[in-house]
């Protein structure tokens, strides 16, 4: 089955065409600056070079048309016609409490997703535009929605409630939802497979450390807690997001800086995290280079980052009354040996010791902890597109 996986943002559209029978990516690409001057599509057939084409894409429907054009192109295409796309899998950021698993998209479901727009005003409307554009261009092709929040719907109420008046939960659904669910699900499942165990028998902590970052506690195959909340702003220090802060800071800074609460929140989302703390960059490669060159703020930022991850690992170990596996994933978790080692320094009490030689490996499935460790620490590269393709296939087959 050929499955087109779509991740649609407000001005971008990422895609992968995956042959689900072989679990092979046939082609992938990205449409950028949709609706803005200078829009372009970068397309790459597997095994071939990236081809960047500047083309006017006034809206997402035109972008989807361009994607189909590239996929069926005589020189850079990988299929002959639209008929060879059997299904489309859409990444959807927020499914609220309505969606605890992936779902076939029909008009009723699309309306229910629209009702979640308030919870993710920057993301869900863009996801819906992608869905509607695909519907227009590929009317007969079945489509599936895969939600970032779905895997965490198993969290117990004690984990997802904020200490706020209960009426705000009832009236506005203010609660913790968590994100990156597709990745936490995929990585925890894969970690169990690598160890030759059933996920249902394990307590796993997944550290998804990318530009956006979150940690989850997966007990007996279910997410029982995760660090992101109502929005992806809560939790760890991230590339540009602050993670947990005292909420009183919002109005305090608004008053001191003569800016609105909205502007403070925008700073918390876009100018904070390791970027704001270090003043260097949101990218951990730049941050590592600066720290190596003696930049004290960069060093402090890395320390604060690792400390926060370690604190969450401790909290989730307590939440699960133990831990069997700690899995690192996403850009930093998979590639940054320095950060993994810094986190590892806090984990001695768990009886896990990251082997410095193994820790040099990047981007591969590997067990990092040494033979005597009680808790297995490992790298498990995430693959959210493959996870979306699998779930799409399972629902449309
Ligand atoms: P993601 O959002 O998962 O793409 O992760 C992005 C983050 O991963 C950035 O901070 C990158 O600096 C970091 N990253 C990606 N590749 C590497 C690498 N080879 N070494 C260190 N950090 C990396």
């Amino acid at each position: 089955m050929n499955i087109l996986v779509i991740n649609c943002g407000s001005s971008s559209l990422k895609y992968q065409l995956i042959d689900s029978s072989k679990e092979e990516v046939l082609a992938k690409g990205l449409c950028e600056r949709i609706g803005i001057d200078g829009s372009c599509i970068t397309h790459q057939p597997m095994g071939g070079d990236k081809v960047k084409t500047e083309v006017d894409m006034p809206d997402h429907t035109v972008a989807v048309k361009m994607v189909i054009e590239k996929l069926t192109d005589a020189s850079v295409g990988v299929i002959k016609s639209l008929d060879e796309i059997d299904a489309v899998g859409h990444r959807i950021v927020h499914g609220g409490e309505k969606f605890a698993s992936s779902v076939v998209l029909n008009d009723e479901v699309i309306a229910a997703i629209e009702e979640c727009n308030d919870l993710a005003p920057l993301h869900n409307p863009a996801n819906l535009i992608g869905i509607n554009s695909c519907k227009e261009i590929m009317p007969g092709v079945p489509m599936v929605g895969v939600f970032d929040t779905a895997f965490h719907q198993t969290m117990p109420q004690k984990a997802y409630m904020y200490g706020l008046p209960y009426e705000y939960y009832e009236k506005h659904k203010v609660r913790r939802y968590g994100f990156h669910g597709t990745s936490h699900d995929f990585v925890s499942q894969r970690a169990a497979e690598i160890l030759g165990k059933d996920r249902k028998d394990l307590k796993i902590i997944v550290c998804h450390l990318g530009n956006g970052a979150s940690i989850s506690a997966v007990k007996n195959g279910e997410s029982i807690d995760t660090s992101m909340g109502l929005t992806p702003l809560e939790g760890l220090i991230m590339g540009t997001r602050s993670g947990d802060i005292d909420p009183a800071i919002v109005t305090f800074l608004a008053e001191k800086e003569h800016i609105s609460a909205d502007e403070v929140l925008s700073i918390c989302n876009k100018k904070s995290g390791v970027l704001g703390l270090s003043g260097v960059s949101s990218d951990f490669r730049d941050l590592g280079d600066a720290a190596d060159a003696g930049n004290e703020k960069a060093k402090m930022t890395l320390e604060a980052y690792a400390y926060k991850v370690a604190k969450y690992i401790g909290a989730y170990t307590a939440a699960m009354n133990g831990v069997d596996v700690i899995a690192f994933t996403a850009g930093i978790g998979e590639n940054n040996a320095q950060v993994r080692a810094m986190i590892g320094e806090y984990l001695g009490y768990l009886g896990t010791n990251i082997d410095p030689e193994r820790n040099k490996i990047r981007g591969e499935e590997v067990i990092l902890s040494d033979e005597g460790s009680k808790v297995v620490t490992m790298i498990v590269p995430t693959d959210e597109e493959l996870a979306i393709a699998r779930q799409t296939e399972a629902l449309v087959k």
Side-chain angles (χ1 to χ4, degrees):
M1 218 179 214
N2 288 337
I3 295 173
L4 180 60
V5 175
I6 299 271
N7 183 354
C8 200
S10 55
S11 64
S12 69
L13 188 155
K14 269 195 238 164
Y15 63 94
Q16 281 195 8
L17 186 67
I18 295 178
D19 175 349
S20 60
S21 59
K22 297 189 199 131
E23 300 213 323
E24 244 174 44
V25 178
L26 302 176
K28 63 180 178 182
L30 169 68
C31 302
E32 288 171 281
R33 299 180 65 84
I34 300 167
I36 310 172
D37 280 353
S39 49
C40 61
I41 176 167
T42 308
H43 174 82
Q44 186 180 25
M46 273 315 105
D49 291 332
K50 277 188 187 167
V51 191
K52 187 169 176 177
T53 318
E54 288 194 13
V55 56
D56 193 25
M57 289 185 277
D59 57 43
H60 288 74
T61 307
V62 178
V64 174
K65 267 190 201 145
M66 283 309 306
V67 171
I68 304 295
E69 226 169 77
K70 290 289 173 197
L71 289 172
T72 55
D73 184 86
S75 63
V76 295
V78 291
I79 50 174
K80 290 200 187 66
S81 78
L82 199 63
D83 297 344
E84 290 178 49
I85 298 177
D86 301 299
V88 183
H90 290 271
R91 177 189 179 202
I92 302 170
V93 168
H94 219 306
E97 288 187 325
K98 289 184 206 302
F99 299 102
S101 58
S102 303
V103 61
V104 174
L105 296 170
N106 56 31
D107 289 346
E108 199 184 321
V109 170
I110 292 172
I113 297 169
E114 261 163 17
E115 285 171 26
C116 302
N117 279 2
D118 272 359
L119 293 169
L122 296 178
H123 295 101
N124 267 34
N127 300 155
L128 283 160
I129 290 171
I131 292 169
N132 287 324
S133 298
C134 287
K135 219 170 111 185
E136 204 177 317
I137 311 256
M138 301 176 254
V141 181
M143 298 201 288
V144 166
V146 179
F147 300 89
D148 265 25
T149 48
F151 182 61
H152 301 302
Q153 276 298 300
T154 46
M155 276 195 285
Q157 194 172 23
K158 65 184 174 190
Y160 70 67
M161 288 305 287
Y162 290 112
L164 290 169
Y166 197 84
E167 63 179 287
Y168 299 136
Y169 169 60
E170 290 176 311
K171 280 204 296 203
H172 309 299
K173 294 283 172 221
V174 173
R175 51 158 281 182
R176 309 182 58 258
Y177 291 92
F179 297 86
H180 294 139
T182 313
S183 178
H184 288 287
D185 184 16
F186 179 90
V187 169
S188 55
Q189 180 59 38
R190 185 69 199 131
E193 279 164 17
I194 293 167
L195 297 173
K197 299 210 164 135
D198 190 331
R199 184 169 67 162
K200 288 202 171 77
D201 300 327
L202 292 171
K203 296 169 181 173
I204 305 172
I205 294 177
V206 177
C207 306
H208 177 111
L209 310 180
N211 195 30
S214 65
I215 300 202
S216 67
V218 181
K219 188 178 182 187
N220 307 131
E222 291 187 341
S223 171
I224 63 139
D225 207 344
T226 190
S227 56
M228 284 177 166
L230 174 76
T231 77
L233 186 53
E234 191 179 341
L236 300 173
I237 298 172
M238 307 181 213
T240 64
R241 294 186 200 129
S242 61
D244 303 326
I245 57 167
D246 180 340
I249 292 172
V250 175
T251 47
F252 182 85
L253 273 185
E255 205 171 295
K256 293 281 179 200
E257 293 282 317
H258 308 293
I259 54 178
S260 68
D262 267 353
E263 283 170 302
V264 178
L265 270 186
S266 170
I267 290 167
C268 290
N269 269 304
K270 297 183 184 151
K271 295 189 177 164
S272 301
V274 297
L275 168 69
L277 255 185
S278 68
V280 174
S281 168
S282 63
D283 192 298
F284 273 69
R285 284 165 285 205
D286 302 336
L287 208 56
D289 290 346
D292 290 346
N295 182 320
E296 291 300 326
K297 270 196 200 151
K299 282 190 212 169
M300 173 276 291
T301 301
L302 287 171
E303 280 164 14
Y305 183 87
Y307 179 67
K308 189 72 167 270
V309 174
K311 279 212 299 190
Y312 266 99
I313 291 174
Y316 289 168
T317 302
M320 295 193 289
N321 191 23
V323 58
D324 301 307
V325 182
I326 299 170
F328 289 105
T329 196
I332 299 150
E334 291 168 28
N335 296 297
N336 196 317
Q338 184 186 15
V339 167
R340 285 195 307 257
M342 288 172 80
I343 297 166
E345 278 173 26
Y346 292 97
L347 306 180
Y349 73 100
L350 289 173
T352 186
N353 184 32
I354 293 184
D355 179 300
E357 278 308 305
R358 294 183 187 185
N359 194 36
K360 287 181 185 157
I361 296 172
R362 52 170 53 173
E364 282 174 39
E365 289 179 349
V366 61
I367 292 177
L368 298 167
S369 45
D370 58 25
E371 303 305 328
S373 290
K374 278 191 259 168
V375 174
V376 179
T377 304
M378 59 203 295
I379 300 176
V380 181
T382 191
D383 193 338
E384 286 165 286
E385 286 78 12
L386 176 60
I388 292 173
R390 281 181 184 166
Q391 292 181 33
T392 303
E393 180 184 35
L395 283 172
V396 302
K397 225 174 178 178

